[in-house]
Amino acid sequence: MDQRSHFVFGTHPDHGFVATATAHTPIHLADWYLTRETFEQVSGTPGLYRLTRPEQDGPRRTRQAVHDLRAQGFAVYADYSLDPVSEPDLSKRLVDARQARIARAAAGRSPQLRSTGAPLPVPAPVPGAAVTAARRAGRSR
């Protein structure tokens, strides 16, 4: 842990995802930030906060809290599993997965062709005289 950290995040066997402020952060400021990041103070343990409703995507919400506090200029220490820096960028992973699906689909045969094995019929070209006659039969401007 860095000695200049303002907040420390980790896991606790009884309280789940927890956070605490170090001596470098005033108590009222730590309380204000952590409650806005959906942490609540653990009764009987001053300075210890736990994530509310950890069963609702607790790891992601804790990583988001770490990210938000760092964006505010605080030095934050977090366990490796809760540190957003250690997680690959989710949006990049989603884009890569989508591109891989598109590439697999483009490399495979069309589902329309799989059923019969024969290529789809190509419509015959329309002769030029029929096109002009169809245009004349349409509405006038």
Side-chain angles (χ1 to χ4, degrees):
M1 180 177 79
D2 187 5
Q3 297 300 325
R4 296 170 294 166
S5 294
H6 295 105
F7 293 95
V8 178
F9 285 81
T11 56
H12 189 277
D14 297 328
H15 303 298
F17 303 102
V18 294
T20 187
T22 64
H24 300 288
T25 309
I27 295 170
H28 69 282
L29 189 64
D31 183 69
W32 191 86
Y33 275 104
L34 289 174
T35 54
R36 270 133 194 92
E37 292 291 342
T38 66
F39 281 80
E40 63 186 2
Q41 194 164 16
V42 176
S43 61
T45 312
L48 184 65
Y49 292 79
R50 69 175 165 215
L51 185 66
T52 59
R53 299 180 317 280
E55 68 281 354
Q56 293 179 347
D57 205 9
R60 184 203 57 79
R61 290 174 46 220
T62 305
R63 281 192 295 273
Q64 185 65 47
V66 170
H67 172 75
D68 292 345
L69 289 171
R70 285 180 178 159
Q72 291 295 322
F74 291 105
V76 180
Y77 174 82
D79 288 349
Y80 183 78
S81 64
L82 301 175
D83 196 341
V85 174
S86 65
E87 281 289 310
D89 184 19
L90 178 62
S91 62
K92 181 173 176 8
R93 285 188 290 164
L94 292 175
V95 167
D96 291 346
R98 180 175 183 271
Q99 288 175 343
R101 285 193 312 273
I102 291 171
R104 279 194 306 272
R109 291 192 59 162
S110 169
Q112 294 173 344
L113 299 179
R114 285 189 196 139
S115 61
T116 63
L120 295 176
V122 177
V126 178
V131 172
T132 55
R135 283 187 191 148
R136 278 187 247 141
R139 286 203 240 167
S140 63
R141 293 183 190 202

